[in-house]
Amino acid sequence: MEKTWYILQLKAEMKRKTWWIIPAAMIAVALLVSQMRIPNGENVSVGLCLAEDPMAEAIAAGLSQRESVFEFIVFEKESELRKALETAEIDSGFLFSEEFEEKVKKGCSKELITFLRTPFSAKGTVAKETLYAVFLEKYGEEILLDGRKEIYEEDRKDLVPFLLERNAEYLKSEEFFRTEVEAIPVQETSDKEELTDIYPIQGIMGIFLFVLLWMTFGRRFEGNGRGICLALDRKKQKRFEYLGYLAAVTIPSVTGIGVVMAVGESRGVVIELFRMFLLVFIGALWVSIVGGWFRSSMALSAWVLAFVVIQLVLCPVLINISAYLPAVDYIKYLFPLGWYV
């Protein structure tokens, strides 16, 4: 009996022209989201555009050789640097001005280097300090030699070897900064997924299915929305409606899996199938239970919007707040989307 009810309702859903809009919308939105680059807080790449200047190239070489948490990437054109920043390939960037070396030697200090960042750049300040340190390291010799007359009140050329030697000594020695390495116990971490993991494609697909389940539930508020259910006893009504929810999301759920696999955001075929089954069956049950609270389409519309927003906040769709509030990692399972992402 249940199989027949499911097939009949699936055929009825497939005859609805508006029902086919959902899979088409899922594909369109997924294509749009897949082109978006969400900035990663762990991004340590910094871009450099050197304007073919010898001193700028020397600074870039010094940055590459220096012990640093950053990975410095050289771009030939300013447009390439800006595009990499816009697509979140790099955290921030530095644009060296034309004739950089000449301006430095003339004592010009304005607009030598343009610092490029976005509102999501998290490490720009440290990157600036790193570049400034290398710049002073490369330019330190000229500063010392140019300042001989001011320091010693005469331009003594015999001091040049002494000053350069002392400059090299300060750069390479630990006379000013002494390093001590102290061993501390480190707590072992589990192989659990990174707390910073987010799943935008899966999240959007899940939201589509969640809303579709509520749209199916909302038909009961139409004139003849419950149809055959009125001829069944209460227990059979619940089973019939539950199978109706499953029928409504069958094709869209298959579309969702196909989209996730196609855009390359899959966690693996088995995991995606299992998580999708959880979303569909738990989501249908969740709507059946929570739907009993609503007595009008107006109240339903308001609460569905609230449920969508809550799930987007609690679940790692655009941001994973469980990295800051560990309890969220468990609270999210109170909602269907939490079982999927």
Side-chain angles (χ1 to χ4, degrees), residues 114-295:
T114 302
F115 176 58
L116 305 176
R117 64 186 295 272
T118 71
F120 299 100
S121 298
K123 304 175 179 67
T125 301
V126 182
K128 283 195 292 184
E129 295 293 340
T130 303
L131 184 141
Y132 187 58
V134 174
F135 169 72
L136 286 182
E137 182 179 318
K138 298 296 181 183
Y139 191 52
E141 294 181 4
E142 294 189 32
I143 294 176
L144 281 174
L145 297 179
D146 291 343
R148 279 177 298 163
K149 189 172 183 179
E150 296 177 7
I151 297 172
Y152 298 100
E153 298 182 352
E154 56 180 317
D155 190 6
R156 294 176 54 185
K157 294 184 179 181
D158 60 304
L159 290 173
V160 172
F162 170 75
L163 291 176
L164 294 179
E165 182 182 348
R166 293 296 290 173
N167 181 62
E169 183 179 337
Y170 288 138
L171 288 174
K172 296 177 182 178
S173 71
E174 294 187 354
E175 186 167 337
F176 289 106
F177 297 99
R178 183 166 59 90
T179 304
E180 290 185 0
V181 180
E182 183 177 348
I184 59 173
V186 179
Q187 185 177 359
E188 292 186 4
T189 57
S190 63
D191 293 333
K192 188 178 178 182
E193 292 179 343
E194 292 291 332
L195 292 177
T196 54
D197 284 351
I198 56 175
Y199 306 97
I201 301 296
Q202 287 90 337
I204 297 300
M205 298 300 101
I207 289 296
F208 267 109
L209 296 177
F210 179 77
V211 172
L212 181 56
L213 286 170
W214 280 114
M215 289 172 60
T216 306
F217 173 85
R219 292 177 193 156
R220 64 171 55 201
F221 298 116
E222 299 174 1
N224 59 346
R226 302 197 71 182
I228 194 174
C229 282
L230 299 176
L232 303 173
D233 59 48
R234 185 174 180 79
K235 186 176 180 181
K236 289 183 178 180
Q237 281 182 15
K238 293 294 182 183
R239 286 157 55 190
F240 185 84
E241 289 177 345
Y242 182 77
L243 291 171
Y245 299 143
L246 297 182
V249 297
T250 296
I251 300 299
S253 63
V254 173
T255 303
I257 293 176
V259 166
V260 171
M261 301 300 293
V263 298
E265 297 291 336
S266 171
R267 294 164 291 186
V269 178
V270 175
I271 292 177
E272 292 297 341
L273 286 172
F274 178 69
R275 292 291 186 93
M276 182 60 77
F277 276 119
L278 287 178
L279 172 64
V280 169
F281 286 99
I282 292 176
L285 181 62
W286 197 87
V287 169
S288 298
I289 296 172
V290 178
W293 301 348
F294 305 116
R295 295 292 180 268

Side-chain angles (χ1 to χ4, degrees), residues 3 33 64 79 139 154 203 210 258:
K3 183 178 179 181
V33 173
S64 300
S79 58
Y139 191 52
E154 56 180 317
F210 179 77

Side-chain angles (χ1 to χ4, degrees), residues 31-92:
L31 290 174
L32 177 63
V33 173
S34 65
Q35 298 302 314
M36 297 171 58
R37 295 293 183 91
I38 299 176
N40 181 1
E42 302 301 318
N43 189 356
V44 293
S45 298
V46 176
L48 302 171
C49 186
L50 308 177
E52 298 183 354
D53 185 89
M55 180 174 281
E57 291 173 358
I59 292 173
L63 288 169
S64 300
Q65 297 166 5
R66 190 183 187 88
E67 287 188 14
S68 171
V69 297
F70 296 107
E71 177 189 1
F72 291 94
I73 303 172
V74 176
F75 294 89
E76 295 294 330
K77 300 178 181 178
E78 178 182 347
S79 58
E80 295 176 354
L81 174 62
R82 292 185 179 275
K83 184 177 180 181
L85 186 62
E86 291 170 1
T87 55
E89 293 180 21
I90 57 176
D91 176 80
S92 52

Side-chain angles (χ1 to χ4, degrees), residues 207 210-211 302-315 317 335 337:
I207 289 296
F210 179 77
V211 172
W303 275 102
V304 168
L305 178 60
F307 289 146
V308 168
V309 173
I310 290 171
Q311 290 181 101
L312 286 174
V313 172
L314 294 180
C315 302
V317 178
F335 299 90
L337 189 62

